[in-house]
Amino acid sequence: MRYQSVHLSPPEATFAAESAGDGPLARLFGLCNSEQVREYTPEKRSVRIHGHSTTLRLERAFWTVLDEMARDEGVTASALITRIHDHCLVNNDKNLASCLRVVCLKYINLGA
């Protein structure tokens, strides 16, 4: 298989081009500010799943979505995570943190 060479622009040129557009990424960048850096910071939380304590490490933005989902479902965040855990084990036996991230993205896409 032959590979074509690709010219990469300097990062500052790429950022300027992305910021100048009106696509989804440019709109997202427009909403970000220095105060939102906290949303990218990983945060550890201990939860109990079927009586067993476990620690999960997710970015703060995902914890915010999980807390909102729990409120919408009328359960605690720990109970919500247990439900997601059980579903992930039954359906695909994947990493729980990865499953939680995907569930958060799907929840946001539903427009809930």
Side-chain angles (χ1 to χ4, degrees):
M1 178 182 285
R2 295 183 65 197
Y3 294 97
Q4 293 180 330
S5 63
V6 177
H7 174 70
L8 298 176
S9 302
E12 58 275 359
T14 303
F15 179 76
E18 290 170 347
S19 298
D22 62 350
L25 191 57
R27 289 193 303 271
L28 179 65
F29 288 159
L31 296 172
C32 293
N33 61 46
S34 60
E35 295 173 10
Q36 293 174 328
V37 169
R38 180 172 176 261
E39 291 295 307
Y40 299 97
T41 305
E43 180 179 304
K44 289 182 181 179
R45 288 193 191 179
S46 292
V47 295
R48 294 189 74 75
I49 299 174
H50 300 300
H52 299 281
S53 183
T54 187
T55 300
L56 294 167
R57 186 173 187 244
L58 298 170
E59 292 76 10
R60 179 69 192 128
F62 291 109
W63 287 117
T64 300
V65 174
L66 288 169
D67 289 339
E68 180 181 326
M69 288 174 62
R71 276 192 305 276
D72 289 350
E73 292 289 319
V75 297
T76 64
S78 186
L80 177 78
I81 291 168
T82 298
R83 286 176 58 191
I84 294 169
H85 169 270
D86 293 348
H87 181 77
C88 284
L89 284 179
V90 168
N91 287 319
N92 57 19
D93 196 27
K94 298 293 181 191
N95 177 286
L96 179 57
S98 295
C99 186
L100 292 170
R101 288 184 183 97
V102 171
V103 166
C104 287
L105 291 174
K106 288 180 180 276
Y107 175 80
I108 291 168
N109 285 335
L110 289 175

